[in-house]
Structure formats: structure tokens, C-alpha cells
């Protein structure tokens, strides 16, 4: 059996209790963020993109469907896998790859976005930009 906790019974029970308490308070916060992302992606509209979740979640069927979907998606690996290792490996590799490959380019564009667009226009001889946000 898997035992990575303290060796004494009291300390093990205390550690498990503290972990359950932590997950009890953290899990709803993570689900809230995931549900907001799903609202913005799946339910197009101005109110969803401006962060007004209540306008989209006012329909009880949407709220229940999204919450149930997230719950089942989170519960399925926990019930089917014996070890948490594969889940941590996949999520760690995705997160690490995003940070190392996508992150620097995104930061560069965030800082030097206008300069980059001007350089691309000049290099590719583009006269019209089609941007609505230019001054």
C-alpha cells in the first residue's frame, strides 16, 4: 500500500485531516475559475467576456451542466487511477511546456506588441492594418 506520510498513526491522521481541510477550501475555487473559462469559451457574448458570470449562469440548466461536467472530469481520474503520478506528469509537462515555449513569446508581444506589428507590416509591405484600435 501507498504510504508517504508520517510513520505514527496520530501524525498520519492529522496530516490527512489537514489535507482534506485544504482540499475542501481549494477545490471550489479551482472549479470556479474553470467554470468561468468554460463560460467565456462556450457561451459567446459580451456579458460572458466582461466577467458577468451571473448573466450566463442565471439559467439553472447551464449552471448545473457545467458544474456537473467539471465535477465528473475531476472525479474520473481520481476513481480510475491508482497513482497520482500520471496525472501530475501530464499536467506538469503541459504547464512546463507552456511556460517555457509559449510564455516568452507572449510576454514579448505584451511588451512590444505595437513595435512587432509595425515591423511585420514593414517587412511584408502591408499598407492596411484592419485594426479597430489604432489611433
Amino acid at each position: 500500500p501507498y504510504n508517504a506520510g508520517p510513520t505514527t498513526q496520530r501524525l498520519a491522521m492529522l496530516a490527512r485531516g489537514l489535507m482534506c481541510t485544504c482540499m475542501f477550501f481549494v477545490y471550489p475555487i479551482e472549479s470556479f475559475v474553470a467554470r468561468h473559462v468554460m463560460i467565456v469559451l462556450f457561451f459567446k457574448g459580451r456579458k460572458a467576456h466582461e466577467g458577468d458570470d451571473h448573466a450566463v449562469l442565471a439559467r439553472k440548466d447551464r449552471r448545473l451542466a457545467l458544474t456537473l461536467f467539471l465535477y465528473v472530469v475531476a472525479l474520473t481520474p481520481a476513481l480510475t487511477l491508482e497513482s497520482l503520478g500520471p496525472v501530475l506528469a501530464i499536467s506538469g509537462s503541459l504547464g512546463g511546456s507552456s511556460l517555457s515555449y509559449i510564455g516568452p513569446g507572449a510576454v514579448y508581444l505584451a511588451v512590444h506588441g505595437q513595435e512587432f506589428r509595425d515591423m511585420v507590416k514593414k517587412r511584408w509591405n502591408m499598407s492596411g492594418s484592419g485594426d479597430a484600435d489604432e489611433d
Side-chain angles (χ1 to χ4, degrees):
Y2 181 75
N3 187 7
T7 55
T8 63
Q9 185 67 21
R10 281 186 165 196
L11 284 177
M13 292 304 289
L14 177 65
R16 289 182 188 126
L18 291 173
M19 181 62 79
C20 287
T21 304
C22 177
M23 291 311 296
F24 180 78
F25 289 111
V26 169
Y27 182 75
I29 294 171
E30 292 172 353
S31 295
F32 177 77
V33 172
R35 191 168 66 177
H36 174 74
V37 169
M38 287 179 67
I39 287 170
V40 171
L41 290 177
F42 296 137
F43 302 109
K44 306 285 185 202
R46 184 174 173 200
K47 290 183 179 183
H49 288 277
E50 289 177 352
D52 187 11
D53 292 350
H54 179 71
V56 176
L57 291 175
R59 287 184 47 186
K60 192 173 183 178
D61 58 337
R62 287 182 181 175
R63 185 174 61 243
L64 289 175
L66 285 174
T67 304
L68 183 65
F69 174 75
L70 286 172
Y71 182 72
V72 169
V73 166
L75 195 62
T76 301
L79 293 176
T80 57
L81 299 174
E82 287 186 28
S83 175
L84 194 59
V87 175
L88 292 175
I90 292 170
S91 62
S93 64
L94 287 174
S97 297
S98 298
L99 285 174
S100 61
Y101 295 119
I102 300 170
V107 170
Y108 179 82
L109 289 176
V111 173
H112 304 288
Q114 187 61 43
E115 294 173 25
F116 180 76
R117 290 194 323 211
D118 293 341
M119 182 180 65
V120 168
K121 284 183 214 173
K122 183 179 177 184
R123 176 82 177 201
W124 289 348
N125 296 325
M126 298 172 69
S127 58
S129 65
D131 290 340
D133 61 345
E134 285 192 21
D135 295 318

